[in-house]
Amino acid sequence: MTRLFHFPLSPFCRKVRLSLAEKKIDVELVEERYWEKSSEFLRRNPAGKVPILKIDGKTLTESAAICEYIEERYPGPSLMPVDPDGRYEVRRLVCWFDDKFHSEVTSKLLYERVNKKITGQGYPDSNNVKAGARAIKYHLDYLGWLLDMRRWLAGDAMTLADFAAAAHLSSLDYISDVDWDRNANVREWYSKIKSRPAFRSILADQISGFPQPPHYADLDF
Ligand SMILES: N[C@@H](CCC(=O)N[C@@H](CS)C(=O)NCC(=O)O)C(=O)O
């Protein structure tokens, strides 16, 4: 049985869930209270982070490495181009979201507004929230600019780059922090990816203490 230790709003976990679902790999989701750092959890991943994926008799950590493992082990449908330039562009954009977008936006909005409360770390820091709200505008403009030239973020086909971006944006959308009116290209792209069967489990997530806003699971948002 494939099992994912995850936290529902974690963008890194969402990226892995999307990859598994797109490849129709059944997975049992186990919610991990990663901030409690249980000994069992640290035994599975000494880095103390989710996602952790049990698959093919192995325990895998680090979302980018996990997604590339899934891609190589379960090739169809493909989420990586075959040519080196295309693969480079996918990896660059996955890093853009998991590094730059994560530190400038996700950590400033989602972690301040949701994770702090869930993990008992007090109230959001309004300076961080303001900085995140400012930064997301620039990132949405950048996505819109890429989508002026491409059907999907890294080129003509949907790839792991789209899943990395959609993982972060969907988590922020759960707390209504994405202005879908800012860029028509971005809205159209998100609407396409949101309609995929692979997205269903993410749209069904419910976080205790944070009710799902009505537009979140609406395909016609
Ligand atoms: N580079 C890691 C980042 C994973 C990560 O930061 N996960 C967060 C949840 S969103 C976590 O487990 N944080 C716990 C901690 O840093 O102590 C990956 O891509 O898997």
Side-chain angles (χ1 to χ4, degrees):
M1 179 62 185
T2 302
R3 181 177 291 171
L4 183 72
F5 296 89
H6 81 127
F7 195 72
L9 285 185
S10 157
F12 304 103
C13 299
R14 286 183 162 213
K15 186 177 60 181
V16 172
R17 289 166 69 190
L18 288 169
S19 291
L20 290 166
E22 191 65 27
K23 294 192 184 262
K24 301 203 168 31
I25 301 169
D26 284 335
V27 62
E28 180 197 350
L29 295 177
V30 179
E31 215 169 298
E32 178 71 58
R33 293 169 68 84
Y34 60 82
W35 57 96
E36 291 178 354
K37 309 279 182 225
S38 74
S39 50
E40 188 72 355
F41 170 53
L42 291 174
R43 192 179 54 71
R44 286 192 197 102
N45 183 9
K49 292 176 194 238
V50 286
I52 302 171
L53 181 67
K54 287 203 147 218
I55 190 167
D56 303 333
K58 289 180 270 276
T59 302
L60 309 181
T61 62
E62 279 301 324
S63 63
I66 293 174
C67 289
E68 292 224 21
Y69 172 88
I70 298 169
E71 177 62 20
E72 286 168 14
R73 178 78 178 69
Y74 302 89
S78 175
L79 294 171
M80 275 298 257
V82 286
D83 62 300
D85 289 9
R87 296 168 82 79
Y88 158 77
E89 184 61 353
V90 171
R91 290 179 176 130
R92 181 185 76 81
L93 286 168
V94 170
C95 271
W96 177 285
F97 283 97
D98 288 349
D99 181 5
K100 187 173 171 68
F101 188 95
H102 175 252
S103 70
E104 293 176 0
V105 182
T106 309
S107 67
K108 302 275 194 297
L109 293 174
L110 185 74
Y111 296 180
E112 288 293 336
R113 288 200 214 272
V114 179
N115 295 33
K116 265 191 170 173
K117 183 168 178 205
I118 292 176
T119 60
Q121 291 178 73
Y123 295 101
D125 175 325
S126 62
N127 286 330
N128 281 342
V129 172
K130 275 187 210 141
R134 243 189 338 266
I136 194 172
K137 294 181 183 167
Y138 159 77
H139 284 274
L140 291 174
D141 292 347
Y142 180 59
L143 282 190
W145 178 76
L146 288 175
L147 292 165
D148 260 342
M149 300 174 286
R150 304 165 175 182
R151 277 187 65 222
W152 295 92
L153 291 184
D156 281 345
M158 190 185 70
T159 64
L160 286 174
D162 298 284
F163 282 175
H168 284 269
L169 287 168
S170 63
S171 296
L172 292 162
D173 195 35
Y174 191 95
I175 50 169
S176 302
D177 265 343
V178 185
D179 174 10
W180 297 114
D181 289 331
R182 187 167 177 89
N183 188 294
N185 290 342
V186 178
R187 181 194 278 272
E188 194 191 324
W189 163 82
Y190 191 65
S191 156
K192 256 192 316 191
I193 203 160
K194 191 177 180 181
S195 308
R196 296 187 78 80
F199 232 82
R200 278 185 203 138
S201 129
I202 276 174
L203 297 181
D205 280 342
Q206 298 282 356
I207 315 303
S208 152
F210 294 88
Q212 209 189 74
H215 76 273
Y216 172 77
D218 185 353
L219 297 182
D220 199 18
F221 56 106

